[in-house]
Amino acid sequence: MTRSIEERMSRVVYNADGLVPAIVQQHDTREVLMLGWMDAEALRRTLTEGRVTFWSRSRQEYWRKGDTSGHAQFVKGVRLDCDGDTLLVSVEQVGAACHTGDRTCFDADDLEPVVGEFS
């Protein structure tokens, strides 16, 4: 039996602003592309339309990745973490994921940490 959209969304824990972070990952390579924010409506759209929709905190409006840039994200899966407060969105990324034009938002600034080793 297929669960309703309300049942699927019922475990999501939103922050005080009504938002949940959504980590976006390329579905086949597992490359982390970006982090965006979703409210319940953005998540509902993402789960039902096959394209990723976010809530823009700066513009205070919904935006669907690729509508203006052509760099779209097609949903391949959405998972909820164990605490219910973070989403992992698997996508087929077409073009750049980052607003700077880079493939990923995480390739610009390496903080060069000391790398730990398991002994």
Side-chain angles (χ1 to χ4, degrees):
M1 183 171 165
T2 302
R3 295 180 298 155
S4 71
I5 191 79
E6 290 78 21
E7 289 172 312
R8 288 181 276 152
M9 292 176 57
S10 67
R11 277 203 346 97
V12 178
V13 178
Y14 299 93
N15 68 16
D17 295 322
L19 301 172
V20 60
I23 300 165
V24 180
Q25 182 180 50
Q26 175 65 32
H27 75 99
D28 52 355
T29 65
R30 304 291 188 222
E31 177 183 28
V32 176
L33 301 172
M34 61 174 287
L35 175 111
W37 293 90
M38 294 183 184
D39 66 0
E41 180 58 25
L43 178 56
R44 181 180 316 282
R45 292 179 189 186
T46 297
L47 293 175
T48 61
E49 296 176 0
R51 295 267 309 273
V52 182
T53 298
F54 298 101
W55 174 254
S56 171
R57 295 174 301 163
S58 59
R59 294 188 313 266
Q60 295 290 292
E61 65 183 16
Y62 295 104
W63 60 281
R64 192 168 70 166
K65 192 68 162 171
D67 280 352
T68 57
S69 68
H71 300 189
Q73 294 173 338
F74 294 92
V75 177
K76 297 297 182 184
V78 180
R79 310 271 318 186
L80 189 59
D81 80 333
C82 59
D83 296 321
D85 62 359
T86 304
L87 301 168
L88 179 62
V89 183
S90 298
V91 303
E92 178 66 40
Q93 177 69 46
V94 176
C98 189
H99 70 279
T100 65
D102 289 334
R103 167 83 180 153
T104 170
C105 293
F106 294 100
D107 63 357
D109 196 6
D110 185 353
L111 299 180
E112 302 176 19
V114 171
V115 177
E117 294 184 30
F118 179 76
S119 54

